[in-house]
Amino acid sequence: GHPDNVAPAVLSGAVLCVPGIGHHSRAVSLEVHPSLRFVFIVPDFEVRTAVARAALPSQLDFATSVSAAARAAALVIGLQSGDPAVLEPAFDDVLHIPFRRSLVKGYDAVTRAAVSNGAIGATLSGSGSTIVAIVKRGREAAVQEAAVAAWRSVDVTAVAFATQPESHSAVSRTHFYSK
């Protein structure tokens, strides 16, 4: 498997995989601010990883690359600090979303609904089709309900669930929203 998939499964929680020399990667556990929650909105369709990868360009211009690096750093710092002003720009993913958005029916409606109902930001989880939103504690239910309704508005059935950070792990709550 890929290190960015295997490391969180083995170590639990938020994990940053840093490429090293050759085929080696280093997994670094990230502390996530206790005020943050993750809401996952899972539709009834999938996007195959191979299809999602094929949608990406083989090269990016310098400005886009610099912007992507800054946004990745903002994501790490924002997760640790819980500061929405730092986290929000991290969700403007210039590496993946412009090319994969069309693979996920309702992407714009769902992410807009999540943010309009209290999410700091929302984006694809991995290659998709699941969307993840980061929210402050207490906004989980509103974001779940709005995001599921947004997908329903484009004839997609979805369920949503929330997790909270704990010491190097995330705990899934048993409340699923799927009207």
Side-chain angles (χ1 to χ4, degrees), residues 11-178:
L11 300 174
S12 296
V15 178
L16 175 65
C17 286
V18 182
I21 298 171
H23 295 290
H24 296 85
S25 292
R26 179 178 176 139
V28 180
S29 292
L30 299 175
E31 287 291 330
V32 177
H33 197 273
S35 69
L36 298 178
R37 301 291 183 265
F38 298 86
V39 173
F40 293 89
I41 311 101
V42 185
D44 62 357
F45 65 91
E46 67 178 55
V47 173
R48 309 269 322 149
T49 301
V51 172
R53 285 190 182 145
L56 300 175
S58 60
Q59 294 184 334
L60 293 169
D61 62 74
F62 182 77
T64 300
S65 300
V66 170
S67 177
R71 292 171 195 286
L75 179 62
V76 171
I77 298 302
L79 287 173
Q80 292 176 333
S81 70
D83 184 349
V86 176
L87 266 174
E88 186 178 342
F91 285 93
D92 184 15
D93 178 349
V94 296
L95 285 181
H96 303 96
I97 301 307
F99 312 104
R100 291 180 172 170
R101 158 185 277 123
S102 64
L103 302 176
V104 180
K105 180 180 179 181
Y107 173 85
D108 290 325
V110 174
T111 56
R112 215 175 10 254
V115 171
S116 294
N117 284 276
I120 296 167
T123 192
L124 291 177
S125 177
S127 63
S129 57
T130 296
I131 292 176
V132 60
I134 296 181
V135 304
K136 287 288 191 172
R137 179 180 40 240
R139 298 302 308 160
E140 302 95 327
V143 169
Q144 286 176 266
E145 184 176 344
V148 167
W151 246 326
R152 190 179 331 107
S153 75
V154 294
D155 298 320
V156 173
T157 301
V159 297
F161 64 94
T163 64
Q164 69 182 44
E166 292 191 4
S167 181
H168 297 298
S169 66
V171 175
S172 176
R173 297 296 171 206
T174 56
H175 177 72
F176 282 81
Y177 185 87
S178 64

